[in-house]
Amino acid sequence: MTIQAFANIALVKYWGKQDATWNVPLTGSLSVTLAPLATHTRLMAADHDQLWLNGEPVPLPARMQRVLAQAREMGGARDPLRIDSHNHFPTAAGVASSASAYAALAFALLAPLGADLKDISRLARLGSGSASRSVYGGFAEWLPGTSHPDSYAVPIADEHHWPDLRVLVALIDAGTKPVSSTEGMARTVATSPLYPAWPDTVARDLETARQAILEKDFERLGEVAEANALAMHATALAARPAVLYWQPQTLALLRHIWTWRHAGLACYATMDAGPNVKLLCREKEVALLLHHLQDAGVNEVLVCRPGAGPRVLEEGHACK
Ligand code: PMV
């Protein structure tokens, strides 16, 4: 049985943990699940736990061992497993796959037990915080909670709610290894003089984003998503030493997006713990934006739309 799960992009960011061992965040966050950025995962019996990534054996990460241990505590996957995971992203470069990977794994481990999506979200969270949101199609909000049992995501609206919404992932070749999100947020929480303002910002932005999604108010959602991303990067930049994910091309693109928007093209930017820029827009603007992006020197763009939650793939879609 092969499970497919999609990545997601946060419109209100998760940035800071209250419990690093259990991946319990300091604030809520909200995202849209992105098709076609999929991971396909298949579990098979083996003589010891092992991970195969895109067809190659790789060391089993500590976070994955933790997910397996927790699933076993819940009565799943008793015997040793081979986890076969394939990222079916149009390109492997520059797009985080941990959300889709852990959502697919948690679903594969718990769905056979009849677990509900809350349980699956909690388990996915142990692998990667943002994965807690990829267990739903469309729009999801991760409720921070205070400990493992009450920290999980809930759905806001499914993948059919806003069919013309698009996210363009503009891939920027950084050539440098970014600081991991875990390290970046830990340093920000511990040292950034701007971090104390972050929880209130998130609370307000969550309210605005939730409403904008339900009303399909594109400008409102775009404005809050862009402002929230910039605020997150501002907290990181003020950390000591600074956590800076942007490359010159990131900033250049942000300025282009502002110019295009001021000229009447409805598009907004968001960025995560890396140099890539994601543009929020509507289907009718995609062709022109792709043109502009090419003129701006962006060579690779992934066009994404609201995607479904994890599902069992039909025979014939199985991992190669
Ligand atoms: O889930 P992680 O540990 O990869 O952290 C994700 C952090 C951001 O991508 C920057 C924000 C988010 O909410 O996805």
Side-chain angles (χ1 to χ4, degrees), residues 91-107:
T91 171
V95 179
S97 55
S98 61
S100 49
Y102 281 104
L105 177 61
F107 191 90

Side-chain angles (χ1 to χ4, degrees), residues 10 13-15 98 128-130 133 181 185 232 272-273:
K13 306 292 184 189
Y14 150 50
W15 199 246
S98 61
S128 168
S130 54
R133 301 181 308 236
S181 53
M185 58 180 92
M232 179 203 109
D272 286 329

Side-chain angles (χ1 to χ4, degrees), residues 98-145:
S98 61
S100 49
Y102 281 104
L105 177 61
F107 191 90
L109 288 166
L110 293 190
L113 303 181
D116 63 16
L117 289 173
K118 258 187 212 171
D119 287 330
I120 295 172
S121 175
R122 271 189 210 100
L123 185 66
R125 194 199 78 234
L126 294 181
S128 168
S130 54
S132 67
R133 301 181 308 236
S134 269
V135 307
Y136 301 100
F139 301 85
E141 180 173 348
W142 176 10
L143 310 174

Side-chain angles (χ1 to χ4, degrees), residues 48-124:
H48 65 281
D49 287 337
Q50 52 193 282
L51 171 63
W52 289 63
L53 195 56
N54 298 328
E56 303 282 337
V58 294
L60 197 66
R63 317 189 275 169
M64 200 167 274
Q65 292 177 29
R66 201 174 163 70
V67 168
L68 284 175
Q70 184 67 20
R72 288 185 173 125
E73 213 155 281
M74 298 171 73
R78 295 207 175 279
D79 301 321
L81 283 177
R82 168 173 160 163
I83 300 166
D84 240 328
S85 199
H86 286 249
N87 291 323
H88 288 245
F89 293 6
T91 171
V95 179
S97 55
S98 61
S100 49
Y102 281 104
L105 177 61
F107 191 90
L109 288 166
L110 293 190
L113 303 181
D116 63 16
L117 289 173
K118 258 187 212 171
D119 287 330
I120 295 172
S121 175
R122 271 189 210 100
L123 185 66

